[in-house]
Amino acid sequence: MSTVSHDLSGLVQPPEDVTFGLRATVEWRGDAAIVHAHGEVDAYTLPMWRRVLREAATATAAPGPLVIDASGLDFMACRSMLALAEESEACRRRGVRLCVVGGRSIVARVVDLLDLDALLPIYSSVDDALAGAVPGGHLQQSKAG
């Protein structure tokens, strides 16, 4: 009986470029920064995710907002949501409102599971996030004259 040895080391090694699964761009609309994220945020891409969040938050002047459009993500690890919550707290201390767009249930489910609703208001679109929102994620009520 003969056995054939197969080199599987390439299949279990992390790729050299661990950011291959996450792509992010920043769009500016006036004072608002919008981070459009696509792909996956997992253990391999978490360092890039943190860097993107930090750089966008640093570049956003109060009152912001900083909108994280996660609707293009296929996967978000719980740790990526915790990173968002940490950045949201840092933004709030600087007077910048951070909110998340998550048209798919993946974002809302993880936020709900981790009980992060107060830190990460979820909107169904970028326009909804930009229109009339105040810190805490509540829509501003129009004042009857």
Side-chain angles (χ1 to χ4, degrees), residues 32 35 37 49 60 65 67 70-71 86 95 111 117 130 132 137 143:
V35 175
W49 177 246
T60 305
V67 177
S71 61
E86 291 164 2
V111 167
D117 304 82
L130 293 173
K143 297 181 182 180

Side-chain angles (χ1 to χ4, degrees), residues 96-145:
V96 172
R97 181 176 54 87
L98 185 145
C99 50
V100 179
V101 172
R104 297 194 292 182
S105 62
I106 181 176
V107 175
R109 282 190 300 191
V110 175
V111 167
D112 188 49
L113 175 72
L114 298 174
D115 198 24
L116 298 173
D117 304 82
L119 287 174
L120 297 173
I122 306 293
Y123 295 88
S124 59
S125 72
V126 170
D127 290 335
D128 287 348
L130 293 173
V134 296
H138 304 289
L139 291 179
Q140 192 164 2
Q141 300 295 320
S142 61
K143 297 181 182 180

